[in-house]
């Protein structure tokens, strides 16, 4: 089973849970989403591809702020919920990020946004090559992913540098849900990004919004002392990947 097929099956099973507790939960709305939105800047009039749109919360924000949005997710059930949220205002597609994005033309997009999606994919090189292909010169990628320090602490304490697949269980009580993702070191991220010809404009380890302290003091304290997620803003310069310095990091063989 490919990473995408596994993610589709896991997210189809927990779409209703995710819609209420994760996408609509305080961690996303008072930590992840404000940081991502802060990196996006003005999206008015821009062509945006949203990767792994989930239940469409950010899709709706992008539309409300004037972007033309094409959004996709590998989970049909997540896309169904996103469609019920945004109606026909966005072009919604069921697609796997591991495959070529054949539904997006070369140099047709100003911005790619991927919130908490890339850790579900082991091999980032073809993904960033596709982002480079579809972006107009000067376009941007904004993405959030698991912070390697969090993954190292929680899942892979014996070897920070290992690229390791982990299955965790989200939710308690009547909502236990399995999620399978990849942990990787920071260099694995930055070298793959550089090799694809992107420049890193911003790399953020933000805290939560001030409101989280009263909404969830325990989570607020946790996020003020240790990062859950890492945020990137990348630029696709006019020069092609061949003109960029090539990195040396390669994923280890299985
Ligand atoms: C943690 S959720 C994030 C959803 C949304 N971006 C948000 O911030 O609420 C991860 C999403 O990535 C999607 N996903 C995982 N692997 C994928 C893949 N290979 N191709 C497309 N979507 C994928 C999942 O189906 C899920 O909707």
């Amino acid at each position: 089973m490919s990473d995408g097929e596994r993610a589709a099956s896991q997210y189809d099973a927990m779409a209703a849970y995710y819609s209420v507790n994760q996408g609509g939960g305080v961690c996303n709305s008072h930590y992840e989403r404000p940081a991502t939105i802060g990196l996006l800047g003005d999206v008015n009039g821009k062509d945006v591809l949203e990767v792994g749109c989930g239940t469409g919360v950010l899709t709706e924000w992008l539309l409300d702020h004037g972007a033309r949005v094409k959004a996709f997710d590998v989970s049909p059930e997540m896309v169904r919920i996103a469609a019920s949220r945004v109606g026909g205002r966005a072009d919604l597609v069921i697609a796997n990020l591991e495959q070529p994005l054949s539904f997006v033309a070369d140099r047709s997009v100003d911005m790619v946004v991927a919130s908490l999606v890339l850790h579900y994919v082991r091999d980032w090189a073809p993904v960033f090559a596709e982002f480079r292909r579809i972006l107009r010169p000067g376009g941007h990628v904004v993405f959030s992913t698991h912070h390697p320090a969090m993954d190292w602490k929680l899942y892979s304490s014996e070897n920070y540098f290992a690229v390791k697949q982990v299955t965790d269980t989200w939710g308690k009580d009547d909502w236990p849900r399995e999620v399978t993702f990849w942990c990787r070191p920071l260099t694995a991220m930055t070298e793959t990004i550089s090799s694809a010809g992107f420049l890193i404009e911003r790399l953020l380890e933000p805290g939560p919004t001030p409101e989280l302290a009263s909404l969830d003091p325990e989570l607020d304290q946790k996020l003020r002392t240790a990062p859950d997620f890492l945020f990137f803003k990348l630029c696709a310069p006019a020069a092609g990947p061949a003109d960029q310095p090539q990195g040396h990091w390669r994923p280890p063989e299985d």
Side-chain angles (χ1 to χ4, degrees), residues 2 9-10 12 16 29 45 58 80 99 116 123 126 143 147 157 167 181 221 233:
S2 76
S9 144
Q10 292 179 337
D12 274 354
S29 55
L58 185 62
R80 191 190 63 73
Q99 304 295 326
L116 301 178
D123 188 2
F143 76 95
H147 197 298
S157 53
T167 297
F181 50 85
Q221 178 60 18
K233 183 169 189 172

Side-chain angles (χ1 to χ4, degrees), residues 192-254:
T192 308
I193 288 165
S194 300
S195 294
F198 286 101
L199 302 176
I200 298 174
E201 264 186 26
R202 306 279 303 278
L203 190 155
L204 292 186
E205 298 171 306
T209 66
E211 293 79 38
L212 191 63
S214 54
L215 293 169
D216 189 335
E218 200 178 322
L219 178 62
D220 180 72
Q221 178 60 18
K222 174 175 168 276
L223 292 172
R224 288 188 187 287
T225 51
D228 270 11
F229 305 141
L230 188 61
F231 297 74
F232 287 85
K233 183 169 189 172
L234 315 178
C235 180
D243 302 322
Q244 302 297 319
Q246 297 297 301
H248 300 293
W249 191 88
R250 293 285 180 275
E253 298 301 316
D254 286 321

Side-chain angles (χ1 to χ4, degrees), residues 148 160 184-191 203 230 232:
Y160 168 81
R184 75 196 75 213
L186 183 59
T187 305
M189 300 181 188
T190 55
E191 288 296 282
L203 190 155
L230 188 61
F232 287 85

Side-chain angles (χ1 to χ4, degrees), residues 2-5 7-8 10-12 14 18 22-24 28 32-33 50-58 72-76 78-79 95-99 113-121 144 170 179:
S2 76
D3 290 341
E5 288 165 347
Q10 292 179 337
Y11 273 92
D12 274 354
M14 70 162 143
Y18 188 91
Q22 302 289 140
N28 284 37
E32 195 284 330
R33 205 166 304 116
E50 189 188 357
V51 176
C53 60
T55 56
V57 179
L58 185 62
F72 74 95
D73 199 288
V74 74
S75 156
M78 296 292 266
V79 172
N96 184 353
L97 180 59
E98 295 170 297
Q99 304 295 326
V113 190
S115 280
L116 301 178
V117 182
L118 287 172
H119 43 270
Y120 295 100
V121 177
S144 59
W170 283 351
V179 275

Side-chain angles (χ1 to χ4, degrees), residues 7-245:
S9 144
Q10 292 179 337
Y11 273 92
D12 274 354
M14 70 162 143
Y17 165 82
Y18 188 91
S19 186
V20 174
N21 296 287
Q22 302 289 140
V26 287
C27 185
N28 284 37
S29 55
H30 290 277
Y31 174 55
E32 195 284 330
R33 205 166 304 116
T36 294
I37 286 172
L39 287 176
L40 289 175
D42 184 7
V43 298
N44 189 31
K46 292 193 174 160
D47 291 304
V48 177
L49 177 73
E50 189 188 357
V51 176
C53 60
T55 56
V57 179
L58 185 62
T59 323
E60 187 172 41
W61 184 93
L62 291 163
L63 292 163
D64 289 347
H65 288 78
R68 287 180 293 276
V69 184
K70 194 183 282 268
F72 74 95
D73 199 288
V74 74
S75 156
E77 194 53 28
M78 296 292 266
V79 172
R80 191 190 63 73
I81 296 173
S84 70
R85 188 187 299 279
V86 301
R89 297 166 68 206
D91 182 4
L92 293 173
V93 179
I94 299 166
N96 184 353
L97 180 59
E98 295 170 297
Q99 304 295 326
L101 305 176
S102 51
F103 53 96
V104 189
D106 293 2
R107 297 184 171 215
S108 61
V109 166
D110 300 304
M111 189 167 284
V112 174
V113 190
S115 280
L116 301 178
V117 182
L118 287 172
H119 43 270
Y120 295 100
V121 177
R122 183 183 197 275
D123 188 2
W124 284 14
V127 170
F128 280 94
E130 277 296 86
F131 291 171
R132 193 79 172 90
R133 176 185 69 77
I134 65 176
L135 277 167
R136 298 182 177 124
H140 289 92
V141 180
V142 169
F143 76 95
S144 59
T145 190
H146 283 187
H147 197 298
M150 175 188 76
D151 281 348
W152 186 36
K153 188 173 170 187
L154 293 183
Y155 309 114
S156 44
S157 53
E158 78 281 4
N159 182 0
Y160 168 81
F161 294 105
V163 177
K164 179 177 165 182
Q165 192 177 40
V166 167
T167 297
D168 197 359
T169 304
W170 283 351
K172 309 269 186 301
D173 311 324
D174 52 341
W175 276 111
R177 291 290 178 264
E178 282 199 337
V179 275
T180 303
F181 50 85
W182 292 92
C183 309
R184 75 196 75 213
L186 183 59
T187 305
M189 300 181 188
T190 55
E191 288 296 282
T192 308
I193 288 165
S194 300
S195 294
F198 286 101
L199 302 176
I200 298 174
E201 264 186 26
R202 306 279 303 278
L203 190 155
L204 292 186
E205 298 171 306
T209 66
E211 293 79 38
L212 191 63
S214 54
L215 293 169
D216 189 335
E218 200 178 322
L219 178 62
D220 180 72
Q221 178 60 18
K222 174 175 168 276
L223 292 172
R224 288 188 187 287
T225 51
D228 270 11
F229 305 141
L230 188 61
F231 297 74
F232 287 85
K233 183 169 189 172
L234 315 178
C235 180
D243 302 322
Q244 302 297 319

